[in-house]
Amino acid sequence: MQIVNAPHALYAMAASLAVLLVATAIGHWLAKRNVSKDYSELNLRIRSWWWMVLMLFTVLSLGQTPAIVFFGFLSFLALKEFLSIVPIRLTDRRVIFWAYLAIPLQYYWVSQQWYGMFIIFIPVYVFLFLPIRMVLIGDTRGFIRSAGILHWAVMLMVFAISHIAYLLTLPVQNPAAGPFGPVLFLLFMTQLNDVSQYVWGKTFGKRKIIPNVSPNKTWGGFLGGVATITLVSAGCAPWLTPLTAQQGLLAGALIAVSGFFGDVVLSSVKRDLQIKDSGSLIPGHGGILDRLDSLIYSAPLFFHYVYYTAY
Amino acid sequence: MRLVKVLFFCLLVKPLVLLLLGLNLRGRERLPLSGPAIIAANHNSHLDALVLMSLFPLHLIHKIRPVAAADYFLSNRVLAWLARYCIGIIPIDRSGKAAKAQLFAACHAALDAGDIVILFPEGSRGEPEKFGPLKKGLFYLLEDRPQIPVIPVVMHGLGKALPRGEALLVPFNCDVMVGEMLAPSALCTASLMVDELTRQFKALMTQCLTRSQNFDSDEYL
């Protein structure tokens, strides 16, 4: 039980459970006070948050290897969801089968802490291999489009998400935070950023940033979210990560800005396909991509920032 | 026999559908929980019947019976054992030689026993993820049992996961859209029923998440 020896990680988990308790109470209070308005969507969302948080904490408390397997499984669900909504040719099925096989390998490199392989496996080897498999099948109509879709899918859903797992294996520099501190930090800040950009946007948002992609994203929401996360992470970073408070400021800004772009990049995909949700795995949220979108951008950027500054 | 089917669905089909496939399910509450009833679904893959059956609780699984081609499923002994005991198909003769009364005898027996019968009005799996013309068999099956409810279901994505002629299962999410029970007026004539069912199938198809609408070319699934 690595987690018991890391008091700060435990405090962070307790704090997030407290936040959820408050959110649940507010949700029920709103529904009771204002019967005419429908809050079932909000309460469904909060209930799904409980499931996600409890699942994550259970997996983390089981130790490093189960946690790596868990993130590998998230990659699988994300890749499957992405490949299910994008258009593919019948002949791409066999290539996609190989793309799935990249997941266990990539997470194996993570578990072995083989950084060199972890960082080049998908951008070099998988990148070169998938078109080879396509050529051997020999369907050249739509070749470029399929190759592009597949590379993009594997980079976003496997390579980017596997950075969360690699954070778990970095040598512990902040003993009070333990091996899980940086991961908890990244996940909390990214999700808190989503929520706070939404709340700031609802309260102060007027001018839209990119109306063609996401009509709900406003400058007020974006700047409010970035400011909030920058400040909160300056406070939390020394507790949960090897970073100092000043470095935490930059880490917060990085997570907030990249989280925003992850969100709108995946929104563009859905808009292109003319769908609202990418799946229905998480009640009240949509598919798993609707929850992982920000993380796909913030995880690799935060990882490399920590890796560069502290290792 | 019932135990074999329960174990098959509990240990193999349900976990497979949950982990390897993953469903976008809408309208589950419209599925009948007691027979006799007919579920009319589009057909793209061998997985269609298994996915539909996996939506039902295990204590009902022995009552759920898909109608399947005798010439295909009873063609060899291993497949026949699987089809009869693990899945519990109602075999149907597609050769066109059997008399109408004879053709539906097994279906009628199942319906009279209160089973929920799964039927694919397209008649065969056809091209992956393409919607084929509906046949009139369902109408003749219901001719002297007009009170039996017919629930249309559209599935999309399984033709990618396991299309006709392929043995390699590749994981994809799949949509299962359950529609409204067919109105009795739609069951007056065969062509009326085909029209109404086609209309419902097309309407349900537009709700599917995994069906991209912007790549119009026929080659994309």
Side-chain angles (χ1 to χ4, degrees):
Chain A
M1 292 288 273
Q2 295 146 301
I3 205 126
V4 179
N5 303 322
H8 290 178
L10 285 178
Y11 298 153
M13 290 167 147
S16 60
L17 291 179
V19 170
L20 267 186
L21 267 179
V22 172
T24 311
I26 292 176
H28 280 279
W29 178 72
L30 280 174
K32 220 171 202 177
R33 199 196 56 156
N34 200 343
V35 188
S36 56
K37 239 175 132 186
D38 186 19
Y39 287 99
S40 58
E41 184 77 9
L42 175 74
N43 284 323
L44 197 62
R45 244 180 126 86
I46 295 173
R47 191 187 311 174
S48 292
W49 271 118
W50 276 106
W51 279 106
M52 289 187 277
V53 165
L54 290 177
M55 209 182 294
L56 175 74
F57 291 175
T58 310
V59 168
L60 288 183
S61 67
L62 290 175
Q64 198 184 62
T65 309
I68 292 173
V69 173
F70 173 74
F71 287 112
F73 188 64
L74 286 189
S75 268
F76 168 71
L77 292 178
L79 184 64
K80 176 160 66 80
E81 197 167 283
F82 186 82
L83 292 173
S84 301
I85 56 172
V86 291
I88 60 150
R89 304 169 302 168
L90 191 59
T91 43
D92 293 329
R93 290 177 72 251
R94 280 158 194 276
V95 189
I96 287 172
F97 180 76
W98 286 95
Y100 281 120
L101 287 186
I103 298 173
L105 284 170
Q106 173 73 355
Y107 283 84
Y108 177 71
W109 316 139
V110 172
S111 73
Q112 299 303 303
Q113 298 173 50
W114 187 358
Y115 183 77
M117 193 54 156
F118 158 77
I119 213 70
I120 68 164
F121 176 62
I122 286 171
V124 178
Y125 294 116
V126 174
F127 175 77
L128 296 176
F129 174 76
L130 291 183
I132 294 178
R133 186 71 192 90
M134 290 171 70
V135 164
L136 292 177
I137 294 168
D139 185 3
T140 50
R141 269 187 74 132
F143 186 91
I144 304 172
R145 181 133 65 177
S146 280
I149 286 175
L150 282 175
H151 287 320
W152 219 44
V154 180
M155 278 299 281
L156 291 180
M157 309 307 160
V158 188
F159 186 65
I161 294 176
S162 68
H163 282 78
I164 311 173
Y166 208 93
L167 270 182
L168 294 166
T169 69
L170 291 178
V172 175
Q173 290 195 359
N174 181 348
F180 301 132
V183 175
L184 291 170
F185 178 83
L186 167 68
L187 296 178
F188 292 164
M189 290 308 152
T190 306
Q191 302 306 339
L192 191 64
N193 177 50
D194 280 5
V195 175
S196 73
Q197 292 209 9
Y198 175 80
V199 172
W200 282 104
K202 278 268 166 196
T203 336
F204 295 105
K206 273 200 195 83
R207 281 185 55 195
K208 295 178 166 48
I209 298 190
I210 23 175
N212 291 335
V213 177
S214 190
N216 298 325
K217 297 274 186 285
T218 58
W219 278 104
F222 175 69
L223 294 175
V226 171
T228 310
I229 300 309
T230 305
L231 289 177
V232 174
S233 78
C236 293
W239 271 61
L240 283 170
T241 71
L243 304 174
T244 63
Q246 285 92 328
Q247 290 168 336
L249 278 174
L250 197 55
L254 190 67
I255 289 176
V257 174
S258 62
F260 169 83
F261 282 110
D263 189 335
V264 290
V265 163
L266 267 294
S267 292
S268 302
V269 171
K270 287 183 284 182
R271 197 145 274 243
D272 186 12
L273 298 170
Q274 298 168 36
I275 53 176
K276 201 177 142 281
D277 290 329
S278 53
S280 59
L281 188 70
I282 316 174
H285 295 251
I288 195 161
L289 291 183
D290 297 303
R291 199 63 277 136
L292 288 178
D293 50 7
S294 325
L295 212 49
I296 286 169
Y297 264 61
S298 66
L301 293 174
F302 173 73
F303 173 87
H304 288 294
Y305 179 67
V306 172
Y307 198 73
Y308 181 73
T309 46
Y311 289 90
Chain B
M1 182 171 161
R2 181 175 167 184
L3 184 70
V4 174
K5 193 169 172 182
V6 168
L7 287 177
F8 181 69
F9 275 85
C10 169
L11 300 177
L12 195 69
V13 178
K14 287 205 176 207
L16 189 125
V17 169
L18 201 68
L19 295 179
L20 226 48
L21 293 173
L23 304 182
N24 300 314
L25 180 55
R26 208 170 282 171
R28 185 180 205 156
E29 67 283 352
R30 298 194 196 117
L31 286 175
L33 285 177
S34 65
I38 290 179
I39 291 173
N42 65 330
H43 203 14
N44 277 308
S45 165
H46 279 324
L47 296 172
D48 289 337
L50 294 176
V51 165
L52 275 175
M53 294 172 78
S54 79
L55 301 177
F56 289 90
L58 284 173
H59 69 88
L60 276 180
I61 207 81
H62 66 290
K63 303 290 277 178
I64 321 291
R65 313 270 314 272
V67 176
D71 54 283
Y72 184 94
F73 284 97
L74 303 183
S75 59
N76 76 63
R77 280 168 68 185
V78 179
L79 195 59
W81 186 84
L82 203 77
R84 278 194 196 284
Y85 295 100
C86 296
I87 303 171
I89 65 160
I90 303 173
I92 194 158
D93 179 6
R94 287 195 297 190
S95 64
K97 287 175 200 146
K100 250 179 211 165
Q102 197 61 39
L103 193 63
F104 293 126
C107 294
H108 283 151
L111 288 170
D112 292 342
D115 288 352
I116 298 170
V117 173
I118 296 175
L119 196 110
F120 301 106
E122 283 163 277
S124 86
R125 286 170 291 163
E127 299 237 342
E129 308 293 43
K130 301 281 180 292
F131 183 51
L134 301 186
K135 303 201 164 143
K136 293 172 182 168
L138 175 59
F139 176 78
Y140 296 113
L141 171 64
L142 282 170
E143 224 170 4
D144 24 297
R145 288 168 176 75
Q147 72 290 355
I148 291 179
V150 179
I151 295 97
V153 175
V154 159
M155 287 172 285
H156 190 268
L158 294 171
K160 284 194 250 181
L162 189 68
R164 178 183 201 144
E166 295 272 346
L168 179 74
L169 196 160
V170 178
F172 285 101
N173 283 352
C174 116
D175 301 304
V176 181
M177 303 292 157
V178 184
E180 301 277 358
M181 193 172 100
L182 287 195
S185 60
L187 300 173
C188 292
T189 70
S191 62
L192 216 60
M193 188 216 74
V194 166
D195 288 349
E196 173 60 13
L197 206 54
T198 308
R199 190 190 64 76
Q200 279 237 30
F201 275 0
K202 289 200 167 142
L204 290 170
M205 201 73 89
T206 61
Q207 296 178 20
C208 291
L209 299 178
T210 66
R211 192 167 156 271
S212 49
Q213 279 145 20
N214 63 339
F215 284 42
D216 286 330
S217 162
D218 256 11
E219 287 147 57
Y220 290 96
L221 300 177

